[in-house]
């Protein structure tokens, strides 16, 4: 039983060897050769058919001209003045004309159809074998017909005397064999031209097929079909985005992941990339205007890493990886590290406070110890109360309390503007936390090295619009770079261990623009940089009673004192680099 498949495979291989070739190169070459040969044969046949008819027509017209020349008044006079004999003047004149023109025969007849001249002298005096009535009636005739001398091309005209009266007719024949021989003589030359054209066509077909062989890598049609099927399956199964562009920058193909990451639909295929994505760093990276490896770009709220590989035809293939979650984890890692550093510093500070309190108690200085405890606790409580009185939403309030602690450990004073007031009506508290965290972290880095390090944060609510202003006492931003700082991948800081910098401010602007707002940089009254973010649709409509106070910020019902800040950590700060 096992021999069956082998036998079948051998039989199939044998049929393929002697049958239709499998390679694209061979199939195209054979088809082109067949087309070239067919066209050559067809053209030759189409030429020979009218050529044969043209030779017949020329022969009949030549016979007619010779007949008209022979049918002169002199011939008519000789016919009327003599008898139909072999040595008569009509026979002599007819033979002279026949020999001169190369005609097969020149026959002169009277009105009764009796021959007065003929190449066969025995036929002189006999009636012609074909009907002469047309010529005797005055018509000029051309025809192919058979007579006593075989098939010939004939011309017949009436013979008139000096008064125009018809006294007979002249019939001239040109042997059809000579016409046929002319046709056969022309065929070798015609075939030579056709063969030359076929050879040129075969050479062109071979060169085209060789080029096609190089372009298809000598694959069979079945292999190409299988490759296309595998490519489609592979592209749509990849978890990375793949975008193919042609030499003009049009999108040739996109897999499902690329459509998701770029926010495009299937209808983007075939359109220019700039038309689909618009202007921006993502377009510049994909079109190759920005070069490099693992280039960062921000599309919507996603952080993408792009790599571009040019193709031989002038296009390119771009792969896209989603680093949004990785960047969020990196920002959380930075926030955690900052919090750990702050807790470590607070641990040392707490130990110092405990040692001081222990010393005061051992010295029996109880009143001083109580004052010391009230002072230490009051500083932290005052900071929390100041934040919650002005910022009623717990997430941004918790963030600023945590940032104030980190800033204090770094020797930077963080304060809220006296005009700050934010109700508890945020549509997207997490988005505002990301914006505030990015700007405050940048301000901390900038102010930390100044002479009088300070940061001021202002949050204002105007109807449904939130305006955020973060100022610092750092070195500031030159006027020529105030737009550049919002570009993806641009940063003045060294990259952290887990990733790259230059994304925070780009995300801030994207979040603002997504809500129809704006983000801009300017000069701070503190001497450094000032960032202003406007979020037009950040707040919901106010409650009917007009009470915007957050539950966490209202006074406790039993004590009458402001409630403590809810325990929200700063991990959602979204720190920038």
């Amino acid at each position: 039983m096992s021999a069956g498949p082998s036998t079948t495979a051998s039989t199939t291989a044998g049929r393929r060897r002697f049958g239709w070739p499998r390679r694209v190169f061979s199939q195209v070459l054979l088809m082109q050769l067949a087309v070239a040969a067919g066209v050559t044969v067809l053209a030759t046949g189409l030429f020979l058919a009218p050529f044969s008819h043209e030779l017949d027509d020329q022969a009949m017209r030549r016979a007619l001209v010779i007949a008209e020349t022979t049918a002169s008044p002199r011939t008519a006079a000789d016919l009327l003045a003599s008898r139909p004999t072999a040595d008569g003047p009509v026979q002599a004149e007819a033979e002279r004309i026949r020999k001169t023109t190369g005609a097969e025969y020149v026959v002169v007849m009277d009105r009764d159809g009796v021959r007065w001249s003929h190449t066969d002298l025995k036929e002189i005096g006999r009636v012609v074998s074909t009907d002469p009535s047309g010529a005797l009636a005055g018509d000029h005739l051309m025809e192919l017909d058979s007579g006593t001398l075989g098939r010939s091309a004939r011309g017949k005209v009436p013979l008139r005397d000096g008064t125009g009266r018809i006294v007979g007719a002249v019939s001239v024949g040109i042997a059809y064999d000579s016409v046929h021989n002319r046709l056969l003589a022309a065929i070798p030359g015609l075939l030579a031209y056709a063969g030359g054209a076929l050879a040129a066509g075969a050479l062109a077909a071979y060169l085209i097929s060789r080029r096609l062989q190089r372009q298809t890598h000598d694959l069979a049609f079945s292999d190409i079909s299988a490759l296309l099927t595998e490519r489609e399956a592979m592209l749509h199964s990849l978890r990375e985005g793949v975008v193919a562009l042609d030499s003009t920058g049009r999108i040739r193909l996109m897999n499902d992941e690329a459509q998701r990451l770029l926010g495009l639909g299937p209808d983007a295929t075939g359109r220019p990339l700039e038309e689909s994505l618009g202007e921006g760093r993502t377009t510049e990276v994909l079109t190759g205007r920005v070069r490099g490896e693992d280039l960062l770009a921000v599309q919507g709220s996603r952080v993408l890493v792009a790599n571009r590989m040019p193709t031989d035809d002038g296009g390119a293939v771009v792969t896209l990886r989603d680093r949004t979650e990785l960047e969020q984890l990196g920002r959380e890692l930075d926030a955690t590290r900052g919090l750990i550093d702050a807790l470590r510093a607070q641990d040392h500070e707490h130990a110092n406070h405990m040692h001081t309190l222990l010393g005061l108690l051992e010295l029996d200085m109880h009143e001083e110890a109580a004052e010391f405890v009230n002072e230490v606790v009051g500083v932290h409580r005052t900071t929390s109360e100041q934040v919650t009185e002005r910022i009623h939403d717990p997430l941004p309030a918790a963030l600023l309390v945590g940032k104030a602690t980190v800033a204090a450990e770094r020797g930077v004073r963080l304060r809220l503007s006296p005009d700050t007031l934010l109700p508890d009506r945020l549509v997207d508290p997490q988005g505002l936390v990301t914006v505030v965290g990015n700007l405050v972290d940048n301000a901390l880095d900038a102010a930390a090295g100044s002479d009088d390090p300070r940061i001021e944060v202002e949050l204002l609510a105007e109807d449904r619009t939130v305006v955020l202003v973060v100022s610092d006492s750092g070195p500031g931003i030159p006027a020529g770079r105030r737009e550049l700082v919002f570009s993806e991948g641009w940063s003045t800081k060294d990259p952290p261990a887990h990733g790259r910098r230059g994304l925070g401010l780009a995300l801030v602007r994207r979040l603002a623009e997504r809500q129809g707002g704006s983000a801009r940089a300017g000069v701070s009254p503190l001497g450094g940089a000032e960032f202003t973010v406007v979020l037009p649709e950040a707040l919901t409509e106010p409650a009917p009673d007009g009470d915007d106070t957050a539950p966490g910020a209202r006074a406790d019902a039993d004590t009458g004192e402001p409630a403590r800040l809810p325990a929200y950590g700063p991990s959602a700060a979204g720190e920038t680099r």
Side-chain angles (χ1 to χ4, degrees):
M1 296 298 293
S2 61
S6 301
T7 304
T8 303
S10 302
T11 304
T12 303
R15 280 200 293 263
R16 285 180 178 175
R17 184 179 302 122
F18 298 104
W20 187 251
R22 298 178 63 248
R23 302 294 180 187
V24 176
F25 160 74
S26 303
Q27 290 189 25
V28 172
L29 179 60
L30 287 179
M31 286 189 291
Q32 289 181 324
L33 289 177
V35 170
V39 170
T40 301
V41 171
L42 180 62
T44 303
L46 292 177
F47 176 79
L48 286 177
F51 181 66
S52 175
H53 177 73
E54 183 179 352
L55 289 179
D56 292 343
D57 185 71
Q58 288 179 355
M60 289 186 292
R61 290 186 180 278
R62 181 184 169 201
L64 184 64
V65 171
I66 297 173
E68 290 175 345
T69 303
T70 305
S72 63
R74 177 182 174 183
T75 304
D78 290 339
L79 183 144
L80 294 175
S82 63
R83 299 286 298 171
T85 59
D87 55 353
V90 175
Q91 170 68 9
E93 179 65 13
E95 280 298 296
R96 183 186 69 80
I97 294 175
R98 184 186 68 80
K99 294 178 180 178
T100 302
T101 59
E104 183 182 18
Y105 64 84
V106 176
V107 174
V108 179
M109 67 193 78
D110 59 15
R111 290 188 61 86
D112 297 327
V114 177
R115 299 187 185 94
W116 288 65
S117 64
H118 200 277
T119 54
D120 186 1
L121 299 180
K122 296 178 181 180
E123 296 294 329
I124 297 176
R126 295 180 181 177
V127 178
V128 296
S129 59
T130 58
D131 183 16
S133 59
L136 293 176
D139 296 331
H140 291 64
L141 304 177
M142 294 188 304
E143 59 185 358
L144 291 174
D145 203 353
S146 299
T148 58
L149 297 179
R151 188 171 177 80
S152 61
R154 298 181 178 183
K156 296 181 179 180
V157 297
L159 178 63
R160 301 177 185 272
D161 61 9
T163 63
R165 182 171 60 94
I166 297 176
V167 297
V170 177
S171 176
V172 176
I174 295 177
Y176 191 77
D177 291 340
S178 64
V179 178
H180 186 65
N181 291 337
R182 287 182 60 191
L183 177 62
L184 295 178
I187 289 178
L190 180 61
L191 293 179
Y193 285 116
L198 180 60
L203 178 61
Y206 176 77
L207 295 177
I208 294 174
S209 300
R210 287 291 296 177
R211 185 172 184 271
L212 184 62
Q213 182 185 28
R214 290 192 298 270
Q215 290 181 340
T216 59
H217 302 283
D218 200 21
L219 294 174
F221 278 113
S222 58
D223 297 333
I224 294 177
S225 177
L227 285 175
L228 289 175
T229 303
E230 293 169 1
R231 187 198 71 166
E232 290 298 317
M234 179 181 65
L235 283 176
H236 294 289
S237 65
L238 286 176
R239 301 306 301 165
E240 292 187 356
V242 178
V243 180
L245 305 173
D246 62 15
S247 57
T248 63
R250 292 182 179 272
I251 300 175
R252 280 200 288 213
L253 65 89
M254 289 189 302
N255 66 348
D256 298 338
E257 184 68 6
Q259 295 177 21
R260 184 183 70 87
L261 295 178
L262 298 176
L264 301 176
D267 58 341
T269 303
R271 294 163 52 192
L273 188 64
E274 291 84 352
E275 178 183 331
S276 302
L277 286 181
E279 297 182 356
R281 178 176 171 83
T282 304
T283 300
E284 293 180 351
V285 169
L286 266 62
T287 55
R289 290 194 287 268
V290 178
R291 300 180 181 274
E293 296 181 355
D294 294 336
L295 295 173
L296 291 175
V298 177
Q299 182 67 15
S301 60
R302 298 187 181 278
V303 180
L304 307 178
V305 177
N307 283 282
R308 189 176 189 274
M309 178 63 66
T311 56
D312 294 338
D313 61 354
V317 175
V318 184
T319 58
L320 301 170
R321 286 175 289 163
D322 190 356
R323 284 190 50 144
T324 305
E325 296 181 1
L326 182 59
E327 291 297 326
Q328 290 176 350
L329 291 175
R331 289 193 293 272
E332 292 180 6
L333 176 61
D334 284 350
T336 303
R337 286 178 176 174
L339 184 59
I340 290 173
D341 291 339
L343 291 176
R344 187 181 295 113
Q346 286 185 353
D347 179 61
H348 289 293
E349 183 181 1
H350 180 68
N352 293 333
H353 291 163
M354 291 298 100
H355 293 157
T356 303
L357 180 61
L358 179 62
L360 291 173
L361 293 176
E362 289 179 352
L363 294 174
D364 294 328
M365 302 175 66
H366 301 288
E367 293 183 1
E368 288 80 358
E371 293 177 359
F372 178 74
V373 171
N374 289 331
E375 181 182 354
V376 171
V377 173
V379 171
H380 294 283
R381 183 173 182 179
T382 300
T383 302
S384 299
E385 290 176 352
Q386 288 177 349
V387 173
T388 55
E389 285 175 358
R390 299 177 183 276
I391 301 177
H392 301 166
D393 191 283
L395 279 182
L399 170 69
L400 288 174
V401 171
K403 294 300 182 183
T405 303
V406 174
E409 298 302 327
R410 296 182 63 178
V412 179
R413 287 184 297 162
L414 190 153
R415 64 183 292 267
L416 290 178
S417 167
D419 298 329
T420 295
L421 182 60
L422 183 66
D424 187 15
R425 293 189 287 110
L426 288 176
V427 175
D428 183 15
Q430 184 70 40
L432 182 62
V433 164
T434 299
V435 174
V436 174
N438 277 297
L439 295 181
V440 170
D441 284 338
N442 280 349
L444 279 174
D445 292 336
S450 61
D451 296 335
D452 183 15
R454 290 177 296 161
I455 296 175
E456 183 174 278
V457 178
E458 182 178 71
L459 276 166
L460 298 175
E462 301 174 359
D463 295 330
R464 297 187 60 190
T465 301
V466 171
V467 179
L468 168 65
V469 181
V470 178
S471 305
D472 63 67
S473 59
I477 302 173
R481 295 188 176 183
R482 289 174 188 166
E483 283 297 317
L484 189 61
V485 296
F486 293 101
S487 302
E488 298 94 330
W490 192 92
S491 178
T492 59
K493 307 172 189 176
D494 295 331
H498 62 78
R500 301 184 179 187
R501 294 191 182 272
L503 296 176
L505 291 177
L507 285 174
V508 168
R509 172 164 280 185
R510 289 300 180 108
L511 287 172
E513 291 177 347
R514 191 169 59 182
Q515 299 184 23
S518 62
R520 64 179 185 273
V523 180
S524 167
L526 303 179
E530 179 180 86
F531 287 88
T532 303
V533 179
V534 180
L535 305 173
E537 304 294 332
L539 297 175
T540 61
E541 294 293 341
D545 57 1
D547 185 7
D548 290 335
T549 305
R554 296 183 182 127
D556 187 274
D558 297 330
T559 64
E561 297 179 354
R564 292 188 177 274
L565 187 69
Y568 289 90
S571 62
E575 280 75 3
T576 63
R577 268 84 62 200

